[in-house]
Amino acid sequence: MTRLSPSAAKKRVTIGKVGAAHGIHGEMRIIPLTDFTERFASMKEVMVGDELLHVESCKYHKQYVLMKFREYPVREDAMRLTGRLLTVDRSEAAPLSEGEFYTFDIIGLTVYDVGGKELGKVENVLRTGSNDVYQARRTDGGELLIPALKAVVKEIDIAGGRMVVDMPEEISDAH
């Protein structure tokens, strides 16, 4: 059984979560946690929790992806996978267009205003439909909601751990 070291785990991207067993042949419902659900069909192996598993079959069913893993041929064994996350190496992450970022890269960034004053840290990315909203914890402990719009977010520097925003007054003054 292949296991991941803690440092290797940080270089991984979560693409799904194992749900309930499906049928009697060891298939598991996978809840996709990626915008690129077509990627599951071409996968030969995937980390499930800290185990490397080989994909025996994959098909799409309603909002789920049904996967069967060679190492878990029986329903009762496969049920132990429920709740585990499916991850791929960061190098296998779906390529992004210019100006697009992975959610896991945005979380943890320190937010500054255009004058260089620290406003807080991003804790979550909310998907609202029209545009994402970066949910940040203010330095005073309050909450700051930052619309992910070019007019507001002036710079995202993943390597430097920074986000620079130009918040409209009516948003930034509301605490």
Side-chain angles (χ1 to χ4, degrees):
M1 182 183 310
T2 309
R3 296 212 178 263
L4 277 181
S5 69
S7 62
K10 288 183 176 54
K11 297 183 179 105
R12 302 204 61 82
V13 180
T14 299
I15 60 165
K17 183 175 183 177
V18 181
H22 181 86
I24 58 171
H25 301 293
E27 284 183 321
M28 296 300 293
R29 284 186 186 156
I30 308 300
I31 302 152
L33 299 175
T34 173
D35 292 334
F36 308 98
T37 55
E38 66 280 359
R39 72 172 322 146
F40 290 100
S42 61
M43 296 178 73
K44 302 282 180 248
E45 55 185 35
V46 64
M47 291 299 294
V48 181
D50 60 0
E51 283 183 77
L52 179 67
L53 299 182
H54 296 85
V55 179
E56 213 167 73
S57 69
C58 172
K59 56 189 175 208
Y60 297 88
H61 178 71
K62 298 181 182 168
Q63 73 269 34
Y64 303 108
V65 178
L66 300 179
M67 292 186 111
K68 182 174 174 147
F69 302 106
R70 185 187 328 144
E71 292 80 358
Y72 290 88
V74 181
R75 175 186 168 100
E76 289 69 26
D77 293 339
M79 287 168 56
R80 293 198 301 258
L81 299 173
T82 298
R84 291 194 194 171
L85 295 176
L86 277 72
T87 61
V88 294
D89 190 85
R90 194 182 179 108
S91 65
E92 297 173 41
L96 297 177
S97 301
E98 182 74 29
E100 290 184 324
F101 300 92
Y102 294 111
T103 300
F104 55 83
D105 281 336
I106 297 291
I107 294 171
L109 292 181
T110 303
V111 181
Y112 298 90
D113 67 14
V114 286
K117 177 176 176 252
E118 184 176 332
L119 301 178
K121 267 200 188 319
V122 178
E123 292 186 333
N124 198 5
V125 177
L126 307 173
R127 299 207 166 183
T128 63
S130 55
N131 61 275
D132 289 351
V133 174
Y134 304 136
Q135 186 178 19
R137 181 67 48 212
R138 299 171 72 99
T139 51
D140 64 11
E143 182 179 68
L144 178 64
L145 297 175
I146 304 161
L149 301 170
K150 283 187 169 75
V152 176
V153 180
K154 298 302 180 187
E155 179 190 349
I156 292 180
D157 175 5
I158 300 298
R162 308 168 40 91
M163 176 186 293
V164 177
V165 300
D166 187 3
M167 295 290 287
E169 283 183 32
E170 65 272 13
I171 296 176
S172 56
D173 290 341
H175 351 286

